[in-house]
Amino acid sequence: MASVQDTLRDRLQAALGAAFGDEFAAIDPVLGVTTNPKFGDYQANVALPLAKRVGLPPREVAAKVVAALCIDDICEVPEIAGPGFINLTLKPAFLEAQLRAIAADPRLGIPTVLHPQRVVVDYPSPNIAKEMHVGHLRPAVIGECLARVLEFLGHDVLRVSHVGDWGTPFGMLIAHLRSEYPTALDADSDLSLGELSTFYREAKQRFDADEAFQDAARLAVVQLQAGDAETLKAWKIVCDLSKRSYRLIYDLMGVSPEICDRGESFYNSMLSAVVSALDAAGLLVENQGAQCVFLEGYTNKAGEPLPMIVQKSDGGYNYATTDLAAIRYRIQEDKADRLVYTTDVGQSNHFAQVFQVVRRAGWVPETVELVHAPFGLVLGEDGKRIKTRSGDTVPLKDLLEEAIARTRTDFQQRLQTEERSESEDFIEDAARTIGIGAVKYADLSQNRTSNYIFSYDKMLALQGNTAPYMLYAYVRVQGISRKGNIDFDQIASDLPISLEDEAERVLLKHILQMADVITQVSEDLMPNRLCQYLFELSQKFNQFYDRCSVLDAPEPQRTTRLLLCHTTARTLKLGLSLLGISVLERM
RNA sequence: GCGCCCGUAGCUCAGUGGAUAGAGCAACCGCCUUCUAAGCGGUUGGUCGAUGGUUCGAUCCCAUCCGGGCGCGCCA
């Protein structure tokens, strides 16, 4: 079923065509939810920009649109207000029919897209042999959310992680392990990633200080690239160990198991072809021994044209080359229609440059969209880049476990003051769901592009725009079902319903906006809009809950309210699941 | 020097070419014999960094400036 807003838009366009001619049937009616409930439910502002074009005062334009508008099955008689706003108010009978329809629809009335796209979403790209850290929080949380939203709308999503698994760092690591910890490279060693990352740091230090070791490391790289069996085996052990430990963290966070690992090594064999293709496209220029593409619109500090180096003077390739190869592969082999890169805002220049080069090379068909969805930094409470007390980067695992631990402590305290007794399993499950949900929600509810301050106290706060607040709204509905012994799925669909309280209508009208919000998130890739929507939904539900008793209400209010409760809970659950957050039945 | 991002209530932040710029927190005042009060209602709080411009209309678009952050050739 089409969303209310889409239906209204269609009707308005038909009216525009009827009133002013067919060429006006495709213009944007500038339709939106009203800025104030006293103006009705939706407002169309099309008359104002149209006035000049058709040579009539805005209010007369609005009058002509309204005269041609057929919506009496949906809305009350439209009102023309102010300078020429067309205000629309949904009819109670229409609202009741909508409630029935979405209550009966597994998708809550949210349609899938007409033209599904193949979308590649970029996931965090940790470096093999290093632990995941705070820097991987946002790409994991935001990437997962975007992937889920797109998938729910019917797009074909491919999640790809561009892990750092190739090049000099691995030569270093393997050379170091060979000489110092040869047993680590046995297939059955029980090396942990923590130990591995220590070796990595040692290897880096040694590389910077010891020339003989540099040679050993370079030899290992050459052996790796040449496909030497022993070296490859060592490399594979390191990769497998790293990926297993990333999976543990992803599982804790509820990140999809569908991630396709395509590290830098994956593109290794394609890099020379990328460079020749750039040459064939006439973009390649040799400069100081390096193969470059000179960028349009970028200069270096001296004001000279800035090159993107795609092959170093020593013949090696760098990250730009790999990114170019990845884009080419995603378009040519994956047949992607849209490439979404979720990385920190500091890489904006890099992506703008890479996108420019692939476009100039002619690798990007008109129909393919390349989009960098940048995010801001996670800051500590001091407003600076988040660090441990000793100044190191914070491991992601520690950050998540701290959130769970704090939630557990708060929760136990609360149980004590309320003199409740709950099982260990219940407490553990609640602490994990709330703690992880709080971290993810705090991240997603912020405007993606701005930095945010990571504060356990704020994200775990029981009131305000937080995960606990929303989970509580969901729990309240489940409380009603328990108390009243209601099986929501068994509510007969033919019982009479009637919306009588303003709080009921306000709640339902908000629920009916879910489809538009999800569509918007799929377009502008801003999850905070969905968070805002869910927060307002929770608020409106709590107002309804406060004003309208459900179980004690006479019919038909009781059935109406039960349907509203169930539909609210399903909307919350769906919305939270699109954010990658799970719900609780009790808390 | 060039490029990008940001500047909105005491604090943290939404918002956006349209009607009176919103929320949360903090502060204060109310509401539990009633579906979990992790809730609800109310009060207080703004030259939307500055100045010009475009527009019927600008917090939003453009220009300049001020303040803060980030990036800028063989690392990723």
Side-chain angles (χ1 to χ4, degrees), chain A residues 25 33 71 112 118 140 149 183 200 228 238 242 266 282 327 352 374 376 428 506 519 521 574 584:
Chain A
V33 174
I71 44 162
T112 52
R118 174 85 159 150
V149 167
T183 54
Y200 186 93
D228 172 67
V238 172
S242 302
F266 180 83
I327 293 175
E428 211 40 52
V506 167
T519 298
V521 173
L574 171 63
L584 292 163

Side-chain angles (χ1 to χ4, degrees), chain A residues 161-282:
Chain A
S161 177
H162 193 87
V163 290
D165 67 352
W166 204 249
T168 316
F170 295 90
M172 273 164 28
L173 181 66
I174 290 167
H176 184 60
L177 289 173
R178 268 181 190 158
S179 72
E180 305 300 314
Y181 306 93
T183 54
L185 298 177
D186 293 343
D188 57 352
S189 90
D190 56 355
L191 190 69
S192 75
L193 188 67
E195 292 165 315
L196 194 59
S197 62
T198 304
F199 295 150
Y200 186 93
R201 278 195 294 275
E202 289 172 7
K204 177 86 172 78
Q205 279 171 8
R206 199 168 157 197
F207 186 84
D208 292 340
D210 178 349
E211 279 191 28
F213 180 69
Q214 287 176 16
D215 291 337
R218 289 200 189 94
L219 175 66
V221 175
V222 171
Q223 288 173 325
L224 193 57
Q225 299 206 335
D228 172 67
E230 282 300 306
T231 314
L232 268 180
K233 193 182 123 197
W235 173 76
K236 196 166 183 320
I237 287 169
V238 172
C239 288
D240 289 348
L241 171 62
S242 302
K243 287 173 188 171
R244 275 200 307 275
S245 79
Y246 300 156
R247 190 66 252 166
L248 292 176
I249 295 179
Y250 284 144
D251 285 344
L252 179 63
M253 293 179 74
V255 169
S256 164
E258 304 286 306
I259 300 177
C260 171
D261 275 310
R262 279 188 201 157
E264 291 163 346
S265 61
F266 180 83
Y267 302 101
N268 190 44
S269 62
M270 308 170 200
L271 300 179
S272 65
V274 165
V275 175
S276 354
L278 291 171
D279 197 13

Side-chain angles (χ1 to χ4, degrees), chain A residues 201-485:
Chain A
R201 278 195 294 275
E202 289 172 7
K204 177 86 172 78
Q205 279 171 8
R206 199 168 157 197
F207 186 84
D208 292 340
D210 178 349
E211 279 191 28
F213 180 69
Q214 287 176 16
D215 291 337
R218 289 200 189 94
L219 175 66
V221 175
V222 171
Q223 288 173 325
L224 193 57
Q225 299 206 335
D228 172 67
E230 282 300 306
T231 314
L232 268 180
K233 193 182 123 197
W235 173 76
K236 196 166 183 320
I237 287 169
V238 172
C239 288
D240 289 348
L241 171 62
S242 302
K243 287 173 188 171
R244 275 200 307 275
S245 79
Y246 300 156
R247 190 66 252 166
L248 292 176
I249 295 179
Y250 284 144
D251 285 344
L252 179 63
M253 293 179 74
V255 169
S256 164
E258 304 286 306
I259 300 177
C260 171
D261 275 310
R262 279 188 201 157
E264 291 163 346
S265 61
F266 180 83
Y267 302 101
N268 190 44
S269 62
M270 308 170 200
L271 300 179
S272 65
V274 165
V275 175
S276 354
L278 291 171
D279 197 13
L283 298 181
L284 203 63
V285 177
E286 183 172 327
N287 189 274
Q288 297 169 33
Q291 300 298 324
C292 308
V293 177
F294 279 90
L295 297 161
E296 293 170 353
Y298 293 89
T299 57
N300 64 15
K301 289 172 195 170
E304 298 153 350
L306 187 73
M308 170 183 290
I309 292 173
V310 295
Q311 187 168 22
K312 300 186 283 186
S313 50
D314 68 1
Y317 302 100
N318 56 20
Y319 74 112
T321 328
T322 317
D323 277 339
L324 293 171
I327 293 175
R328 206 155 93 113
Y329 189 88
R330 291 170 190 191
I331 292 173
Q332 291 182 353
E333 304 300 323
D334 294 327
K335 312 287 183 206
D337 300 302
R338 195 180 191 198
L339 305 189
V340 177
Y341 285 88
T342 313
T343 77
D344 73 276
V345 68
Q347 294 193 53
S348 296
N349 275 344
H350 169 66
F351 280 103
Q353 292 167 0
V354 170
F355 291 171
Q356 180 195 115
V357 170
V358 291
R359 287 199 178 101
R360 283 167 63 199
W363 300 345
V364 188
E366 289 279 321
T367 54
V368 173
E369 184 191 3
L370 306 177
V371 42
H372 181 218
F375 54 81
L377 298 171
V378 179
L379 306 176
E381 307 242 20
D382 58 357
K384 294 181 179 162
R385 207 180 273 261
I386 191 166
K387 292 262 167 71
T388 63
R389 270 187 289 271
S390 55
D392 298 327
T393 57
V394 181
L396 186 50
K397 188 164 177 268
D398 293 2
L399 187 107
L400 299 170
E401 284 178 352
E402 174 76 9
I404 295 171
R406 289 191 186 221
T407 309
R408 189 190 299 117
T409 308
D410 289 353
F411 196 47
Q412 281 167 333
Q413 217 155 44
R414 184 180 162 75
L415 291 178
Q416 205 169 13
T417 54
E418 294 185 356
E419 297 179 339
R420 284 168 61 187
S421 158
E422 298 287 356
S423 73
E424 274 306 306
D425 283 354
F426 177 81
I427 294 170
E428 211 40 52
D429 182 55
R432 188 180 139 146
T433 303
I434 298 169
I436 296 291
V439 171
K440 297 179 86 170
Y441 190 85
D443 198 291
L444 292 165
S445 59
Q446 208 80 201
N447 183 310
R448 194 194 65 223
T449 56
S450 54
N451 297 345
Y452 78 98
I453 292 176
F454 189 94
S455 159
Y456 290 112
D457 289 338
K458 287 207 168 133
M459 68 182 68
L460 294 174
L462 309 169
Q463 54 279 107
N465 188 6
T466 63
Y469 179 85
M470 249 142 294
L471 293 173
Y472 180 62
Y474 181 84
V475 161
R476 282 183 133 180
V477 176
Q478 307 316 312
I480 290 175
S481 112
R482 275 193 302 277
K483 177 84 173 205
N485 229 336

